[in-house]
C-alpha cells in the first residue's frame, strides 16, 4: 500500500481482521521495513484508509488481491481466500476496473477461479467491461538492496488490453515492468522462482548430510566453490526452508502437474529431504549433549532465532518451530531468544501423547541465561545477536546456520578453547 501511496495514489486496504485494521488505523506497522511514523502520516492524511467494508470497492479504479494461499493438511492448494475475495469483488464490480491477482497460486487460477466467477456473476466481458491480470509479488523480507520499486514486476493479463493496463499502472511506482503473454505464464514464473530455490535448498541440505558422514565442513566446501566466477550459485544448508512461499509453492506446482499425468520427482525429493532437516538438527543436539554426558530429556535448551529467516519477524512455516516441538516432545525444556519475535505458541504432546498449546515468551539474552542452559541451538542467524558473547558464555552450541564462523575468523589467531564445544550441521 505504501509504495502505491508514495506514487501519489489514494489507497484503500480491505481486511477481515478487525484487530489488524485497528492497529493500522493507529499508525502501527507490522513490517520492519515500514516505520510507524510514515504509516501514521499516510493514515492521518487519509492517503491510506483501511476498512472491512467491501462496498468501498465501488469507488476504486484498481483492485489487488493479496490474500494467503496456504495448503490443506493433505498438501492440496487451499484457495478459499481467493474465492472469497473474488466473490466480494463480483458484488461491487464496476466497468473499467482493473483487477490484479497477486497471491501465489498454480497456473490457471486467474482464469479458472477469478475470470469464471467475475464473468458469470456480473455478465461483463473481460478486456472490454473490466480488466483482469496476474502479477506475482516479489518482495523478499529483510533485503535492503532490492525493494518493490527496483525489483522488476511481472504482469500477464487475460487479454492484451488487460496486460497493457496492468503494466501501465505498475509503471507508476516500479522502475521495470516485464509483460508476459498470459496470466498462466505469470503464474508459472512465480512457481519457477520459488521452486528453483526450494529444490536447491534440498540439494544443499543433502550435501550437508553427505559432508557430515564424510567428516567434511559443508560451509568450507560452499565457500570454496563460491570462488568460481561462473556456473555456480551458492545455497546454504539449515534446519529447513520457511516463510509463506518457499515451502508452499512447490506443492502448488506438483499438484497441478498431476492433472497433466506428470510426476514432479525433483520437487518431491526436495520436499522429502527438507522435511527431514528438523529431525537432523535434533539428532545433532542429542549427539552434542551425549558428548557432554547429558541426555536431552531433562536438559535446558536455549534456541536462538525462531523466525524463518534472519532479520525478519515472520514465523510462518519456520523450521525452528518444528525443531522446538521435537525438543519439547523429547523431554527437553526450551527457552528462546529472538529480537524480532516476542512470543509464539506451539501445540505439543506430553508423555501420554496428550496435545496442548504452549505459549513461549522471548527471554533476554544475558550471561546468566547462557550459563544456565545445557545447550544453545542457533536456528536463525539474526545480525542483532552478539555471537561472540554467545560463544564465550555457552557451554555447548549447535550451530545450524554457521553464525559462529564470524567469531572464529576474528579469533582464529588467538589461543582459544571455544571451538571444541561448537557443533555445526
Amino acid at each position: 500500500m505504501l509504495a502505491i501511496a508514495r506514487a501519489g495514489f489514494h489507497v484503500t486496504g480491505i481486511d477481515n481482521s478487525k484487530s489488524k485494521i485497528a492497529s493500522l488505523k493507529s499508525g502501527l506497522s507490522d513490517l520492519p521495513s515500514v516505520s510507524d511514523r510514515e504509516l501514521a502520516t499516510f493514515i492521518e492524511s487519509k492517503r491510506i484508509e483501511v476498512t472491512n467494508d467491501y462496498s468501498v470497492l465501488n469507488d476504486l479504479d484498481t483492485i489487488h488481491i493479496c490474500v494467503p494461499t496456504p495448503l490443506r493438511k493433505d498438501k492440496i492448494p487451499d484457495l478459499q481466500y481467493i474465492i472469497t475475495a473474488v466473490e466480494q469483488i463480483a458484488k461491487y464490480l464496476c466497468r473499467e476496473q482493473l483487477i490484479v491477482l497477486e497471491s501465489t497460486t498454480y497456473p490457471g487460477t486467474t482464469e479458472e477461479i477469478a475470470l469464471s466467477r467475475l464473468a458469470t456473476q456480473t455478465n461483463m466481458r473481460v478486456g472490454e467491461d473490466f480488466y483482469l491480470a496476474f502479477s506475482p509479488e516479489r518482495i523478499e523480507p529483510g533485503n535492503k538492496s532490492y525493494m518493490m520499486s527496483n525489483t522488476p514486476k511481472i504482469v500477464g493479463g487475460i487479454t492484451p488490453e488487460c496486460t497493457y493496463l496492468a503494466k501501465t499502472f505498475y509503471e507508476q511506482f516500479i522502475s521495470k515492468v516485464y509483460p508476459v503473454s498470459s496470466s498462466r505464464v505469470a503464474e508459472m514464473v512465480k512457481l519457477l522462482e520459488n521452486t528453483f530455490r526450494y529444490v536447491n535448498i534440498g540439494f544443499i541440505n543433502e550435501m550437508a548430510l553427505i559432508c557430515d558422514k564424510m567428516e567434511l565442513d559443508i560451509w568450507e566446501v560452499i565457500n570454496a566453490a563460491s570462488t568460481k566466477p561462473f556456473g555456480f550459485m551458492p545455497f546454504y544448508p539449515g534446519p529447513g526452508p520457511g516463510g509463506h512461499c518457499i515451502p508452499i509453492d512447490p506443492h502448488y506446482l506438483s499438484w497441478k502437474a498431476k492433472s497433466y499425468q506428470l510426476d514432479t520427482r525433483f520437487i518431491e525429493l526436495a520436499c522429502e529431504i527438507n522435511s527431514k532437516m528438523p529431525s537432523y538438527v535434533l539428532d545433532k543436539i542429542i549427539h552434542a549433549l551425549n558428548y557432554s554426558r547429558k541426555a536431552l530429556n531433562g536438559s535446558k535448551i536455549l534456541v536462538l532465532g525462531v523466525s524463518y529467516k534472519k532479520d525478519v519477524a515472520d514465523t510462518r512455516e519456520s523450521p525452528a518451530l518444528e525443531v522446538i516441538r521435537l525438543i519439547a516432545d523429547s523431554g527437553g525444556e526450551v527457552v528462546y531468544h529472538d529480537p524480532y519475535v516476542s512470543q509464539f505458541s506451539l501445540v505439543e504432546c506430553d508423555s501420554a501423547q496428550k496435545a496442548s498449546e504452549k505459549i513461549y515468551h522471548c527471554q533476554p539474552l544475558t550471561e546468566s541465561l547462557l550459563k544456565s542452559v545445557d545447550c544453545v541451538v542457533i536456528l536463525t542467524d539474526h545480525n542483532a545477536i552478539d555471537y561472540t558473547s554467545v560463544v564465550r558464555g555457552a557451554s555447548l552450541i549447535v550451530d545450524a546456520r554457521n553464525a559462529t564462523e564470524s567469531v572464529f575468523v576474528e579469533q582464529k589467531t588467538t589461543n582459544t578453547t571455544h571451538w571444541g564445544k561448537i557443533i555445526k550441521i
Side-chain angles (χ1 to χ4, degrees):
M1 292 194 297
L2 270 178
I4 302 174
R6 288 170 186 151
F9 294 95
H10 177 277
V11 184
T12 300
I14 304 175
D15 200 289
N16 291 330
S17 172
K18 293 182 179 179
S19 61
K20 177 171 286 189
I21 290 172
S23 178
L24 292 172
K25 283 185 175 181
S26 299
L28 298 177
S29 170
D30 57 358
L31 296 174
S33 58
V34 177
S35 69
D36 291 344
R37 182 176 180 179
E38 183 178 21
L39 175 61
T41 299
F42 280 107
I43 292 290
E44 290 167 4
S45 66
K46 295 190 176 182
R47 295 285 294 279
I48 292 179
E49 297 185 80
V50 290
T51 181
N52 60 359
D53 181 7
Y54 285 90
S55 67
V56 299
L57 292 170
N58 275 320
D59 302 321
L60 306 179
D61 297 306
T62 71
I63 302 170
H64 303 264
I65 304 172
C66 307
V67 296
T69 48
L71 293 170
R72 298 183 342 202
K73 289 183 178 181
D74 55 3
K75 304 298 183 182
I76 299 297
D78 183 354
L79 300 182
Q80 61 170 311
Y81 299 107
I82 292 180
I83 293 171
T84 298
V86 169
E87 290 180 344
Q88 289 292 339
I89 292 170
K91 291 180 182 178
Y92 302 102
L93 185 66
C94 299
R95 294 186 184 279
E96 302 300 321
Q97 283 182 322
L98 168 66
I99 298 95
V100 183
L101 175 59
E102 297 203 13
S103 303
T104 304
T105 185
Y106 61 82
T109 304
T110 306
E111 293 178 342
E112 298 165 11
I113 302 297
L115 176 59
S116 63
R117 283 170 169 76
L118 293 174
T120 300
Q121 296 180 32
T122 65
N123 291 320
M124 293 188 190
R125 293 167 296 181
V126 68
E128 297 181 23
D129 301 317
F130 70 96
Y131 304 91
L132 177 63
F134 182 84
S135 181
E137 58 87 11
R138 274 179 160 177
I139 298 174
E140 182 179 34
N143 193 322
K144 300 186 186 314
S145 299
Y146 290 100
M147 295 154 283
M148 178 175 287
S149 61
N150 65 344
T151 301
K153 184 74 166 166
I154 303 296
V155 295
I158 298 297
T159 69
E161 293 80 7
C162 296
T163 301
Y164 173 76
L165 282 180
K167 178 177 180 292
T168 301
F169 171 74
Y170 286 114
E171 284 175 336
Q172 307 308 305
F173 55 94
I174 296 177
S175 58
K176 173 66 175 178
V177 182
Y178 188 91
V180 293
S181 61
S182 68
S183 60
R184 295 175 73 247
V185 169
E187 289 159 340
M188 182 59 93
V189 167
K190 178 66 172 179
L191 293 187
L192 173 60
E193 293 171 356
N194 284 350
T195 303
F196 170 82
R197 293 176 65 183
Y198 187 79
V199 169
N200 278 282
I201 291 170
F203 167 70
I204 206 65
N205 278 335
E206 186 169 49
M207 287 295 295
L209 301 179
I210 294 171
C211 286
D212 183 39
K213 291 295 184 182
M214 294 182 175
E215 298 185 351
L216 298 171
D217 185 339
I218 181 62
W219 305 97
E220 182 182 3
V221 172
I222 294 170
N223 289 339
S226 297
T227 63
K228 185 179 181 181
F230 55 89
F232 181 80
M233 176 184 294
F235 285 80
Y236 300 96
H244 67 290
C245 283
I246 303 299
I248 303 296
D249 297 356
H251 293 284
Y252 270 70
L253 183 55
S254 182
W255 176 82
K256 187 62 176 179
K258 285 181 172 60
S259 67
Y260 291 87
Q261 291 77 51
L262 293 173
D263 292 324
T264 52
R265 289 179 289 174
F266 271 117
I267 297 173
E268 290 167 7
L269 181 58
C271 291
E272 179 184 341
I273 295 169
N274 288 331
S275 66
K276 290 180 178 179
M277 292 308 292
S279 295
Y280 173 67
V281 174
L282 180 69
D283 289 341
K284 282 292 184 181
I285 297 169
I286 293 172
H287 172 73
L289 289 168
N290 284 344
Y291 183 77
S292 301
R293 300 179 181 274
K294 295 179 180 180
L296 176 57
N297 190 357
S299 289
K300 186 176 181 180
I301 311 298
L302 169 61
V303 168
L304 295 183
V306 297
S307 59
Y308 82 90
K309 66 176 293 187
K310 66 190 300 182
D311 302 337
V312 302
D314 197 341
T315 61
R316 285 177 293 180
E317 305 295 329
S318 174
L321 303 187
E322 179 60 21
V323 173
I324 291 171
R325 182 183 291 108
L326 291 172
I327 295 172
D329 289 350
S330 300
E333 177 191 353
V334 179
V335 293
Y336 88 94
H337 172 79
D338 190 308
Y340 296 93
V341 181
S342 60
Q343 70 176 49
F344 68 91
S345 61
L346 277 182
V347 175
E348 299 172 357
C349 295
D350 59 20
S351 57
Q353 296 301 304
K354 183 178 180 180
S356 61
E357 184 179 49
K358 180 176 180 179
I359 298 177
Y360 289 83
H361 298 275
C362 179
Q363 303 297 312
L365 186 58
T366 62
E367 182 179 354
S368 60
L369 177 63
L370 289 168
K371 291 186 180 301
S372 72
V373 300
D374 298 293
C375 182
V376 174
V377 182
I378 303 172
L379 296 179
T380 311
D381 51 335
H382 294 304
N383 286 322
I385 295 176
D386 183 356
Y387 296 105
T388 299
S389 297
V390 171
V391 170
R392 289 173 178 168
S395 60
L396 186 65
I397 299 172
V398 173
D399 184 357
R401 297 289 188 178
N402 202 31
T404 55
E405 176 67 15
S406 60
V407 184
F408 174 75
V409 170
E410 291 174 4
Q411 302 183 9
K412 65 181 179 180
T413 58
T414 65
N415 294 324
T416 178
T417 58
H418 294 326
W419 313 116
K421 66 183 180 183
I422 300 175
I423 294 178
K424 299 181 183 180
I425 69 166

